Amino acid sequence: VYTVVVKMKYEVVSLLNEWGAIDKSRLSEDSDEALEERLKIQKAAYLLHYLKVEPFDALSFSQNLHGPYAPELARAYFRGAPLEFEADEKGLKLLKWFIRHKSRWLRAASTLLSVYEFYPNMSMEEAFGMLGMTLPWLSRKEFNKIYRALVHKELVAVKQK
């Protein structure tokens, strides 16, 4: 029995727009709504980076007020440059699941993933402590819910300490 994995080429901004996650016509606006659109692109790109999907794996993300942020990515979407990647059906479903969440969840989940990118053996307790420094508004209950969702999707492994 052979398993064939078919990858197709996609463009992030168009895909998110097609899914109704963003309105790409608003990206260059100077408004809170446009900031939310750009935040979702950054978080989708961060998930692709975390999953080591080319070319997003090569982007350099740093932490800012809204979670992982790549200035290079921002310059690209402001120029209208295509942000293309290849994914199979499983990867596409994961991205769609991730991006359907509200901005607050996306900021916390992507920040949590960035912690595990650099500290893969960190326990849940340690991760909550670290996130508390950068996201002081994040409650324990909300953290637990996000953490469990990421574990369920196999994005984070359960660590006990």
Side-chain angles (χ1 to χ4, degrees):
V1 176
Y2 294 98
T3 302
V4 178
V5 176
V6 177
K7 288 188 173 185
M8 306 227 358
K9 190 175 259 185
Y10 301 95
E11 197 282 321
V12 172
V13 175
S14 296
L15 191 61
L16 298 182
N17 189 69
E18 179 184 317
W19 288 342
I22 67 164
D23 177 354
K24 70 179 183 179
S25 68
R26 303 182 81 166
L27 287 179
S28 61
E29 291 178 11
D30 184 18
S31 67
D32 289 343
E33 293 81 11
L35 175 64
E36 291 296 312
E37 311 292 329
R38 295 189 297 270
L39 183 139
K40 286 187 175 187
I41 295 169
Q42 287 281 341
K43 301 316 160 226
Y46 184 75
L47 178 65
L48 294 170
H49 167 84
Y50 184 80
L51 296 172
K52 300 184 179 358
V53 173
E54 293 180 2
F56 297 94
D57 59 338
L59 288 174
S60 179
F61 284 84
S62 59
Q63 282 298 326
N64 82 1
L65 179 64
H66 300 290
Y69 176 80
E72 179 183 348
L73 176 66
R75 286 190 292 276
Y77 59 69
F78 276 121
R79 283 193 322 267
L83 306 170
E84 295 179 336
F85 68 102
E86 288 186 0
D88 60 14
E89 187 177 344
K90 182 180 177 184
L92 206 56
K93 282 182 179 179
L94 184 60
L95 178 60
K96 192 171 189 177
W97 166 82
F98 189 80
I99 206 64
R100 72 171 173 80
H101 291 89
K102 298 199 180 301
S103 297
R104 180 180 173 104
W105 190 97
L106 289 169
R107 290 194 315 261
S110 60
T111 301
L112 180 58
L113 291 175
S114 73
V115 166
Y116 280 103
E117 179 181 7
F118 293 102
Y119 305 102
N121 296 317
M122 185 174 279
S123 71
M124 181 180 174
E125 288 302 317
E126 291 168 325
F128 178 67
M130 188 168 277
L131 260 66
M133 291 186 282
T134 56
L135 306 173
W137 47 263
L138 184 66
S139 71
R140 181 60 191 220
K141 183 179 178 183
E142 192 173 11
F143 171 85
N144 288 346
K145 189 175 180 180
I146 293 167
Y147 181 86
R148 282 192 308 271
L150 296 177
V151 167
H152 178 74
K153 293 294 184 179
E154 299 178 351
L155 291 169
V156 172
V158 178
K159 305 284 184 210
Q160 300 296 327
K161 275 198 181 173

